[in-house]
Amino acid sequence: MVEPFIDVLCLGMWQTNCYVVGDRTTGHCAIIDPGQGGSEALPALVEEKGYHVEALLLTHGHLDHTWSAPDLARLWPTVPIRLHEADTWMWEDPTAGMGTPKETLMQLGLAWDISGLGDQLETYTDRSTMTLAGIAFTVMHTPGHTPGSSVFIADALGEEGVVFAGDLIFKGSIGRTDLPGGDDAQMQQSLRLMMQTQPDDRIIAPGHGEVTSMGQERRINPFLRQYASSPRLR
């Protein structure tokens, strides 16, 4: 019987939510979106808690969510990094997706080095399922913020289930679409899909800010109001 846990670290200058999700009985876990500062904070947490990391999951390719992934992959050479196939261009050059000059990011401490990590990078696709630490994560491809933006749905986490939403939906807001690769029309389609498929009690664990729920966002989020009465898909 899996005894699930979720640890949350708020990382870096962008205050990115990094989630460590696992089974307390075995200590096995997956890490979602290891942002800036994760190279130090996550190994310390893993050592302190005695965790065993099975995978690094990336909701999308933006640097504020991937910053520490190369360092962690090098530290844990048997651990795969998983990213949607449509965002691998940002794995090759993360500055390409940020709309920020490379020189500025270098001044902020970026030292991106993926040499020797080719075998660890794996891609996922829409509707694929990854079972990690005894927990099934279903991928829903939700492009718009980036071409490969995806959410991970874990039905077995608590009574309500949890959507690790990346930068699709925040409490009272949604992700931006004005960076390279962003697409407002795709974002609207992705939001409509979420509204049609996720129940009100489903917990949303966003990439930034506070945890919320689908029901709360249906009520308060002005960007979702137009979809509030969308018929549910069966």
Side-chain angles (χ1 to χ4, degrees), residues 32 57-59 124 130 137-139 151-154 162-164:
I32 301 174
L57 305 182
L58 306 176
T59 59
Y124 54 75
M130 302 175 283
F137 297 85
T138 300
V139 174
V151 303
F152 306 131
I153 303 170
V162 178
V163 176
F164 296 94

Side-chain angles (χ1 to χ4, degrees), residues 45-167:
L45 177 68
V46 166
E47 182 175 2
E48 176 189 352
K49 301 285 189 178
Y51 292 158
H52 175 81
V53 181
E54 292 190 6
L56 303 174
L57 305 182
L58 306 176
T59 59
H60 61 290
H62 279 160
L63 189 55
D64 55 329
H65 293 252
T66 67
W67 186 292
S68 298
D71 288 344
L72 295 174
R74 198 162 277 110
L75 179 64
W76 301 320
T78 62
V79 173
I81 313 124
R82 293 179 180 165
L83 175 67
H84 192 278
E85 56 191 358
D87 272 7
T88 55
W89 57 284
M90 284 183 280
W91 180 255
E92 297 297 326
D93 179 10
T95 65
M98 292 298 289
T100 302
K102 183 177 294 188
E103 294 75 17
T104 300
L105 292 170
M106 298 294 287
Q107 290 172 1
L108 294 173
L110 176 65
W112 189 261
D113 179 10
I114 58 170
S115 59
L117 300 180
D119 291 341
Q120 281 174 266
L121 180 65
E122 300 176 357
T123 57
Y124 54 75
T125 56
D126 186 38
R127 304 297 176 176
S128 60
T129 299
M130 302 175 283
T131 299
L132 300 164
I135 300 166
F137 297 85
T138 300
V139 174
M140 181 185 289
H141 182 212
T142 53
H145 182 61
T146 69
S149 284
S150 300
V151 303
F152 306 131
I153 303 170
D155 290 320
L157 286 180
E159 295 182 3
E160 306 89 353
V162 178
V163 176
F164 296 94
D167 286 359

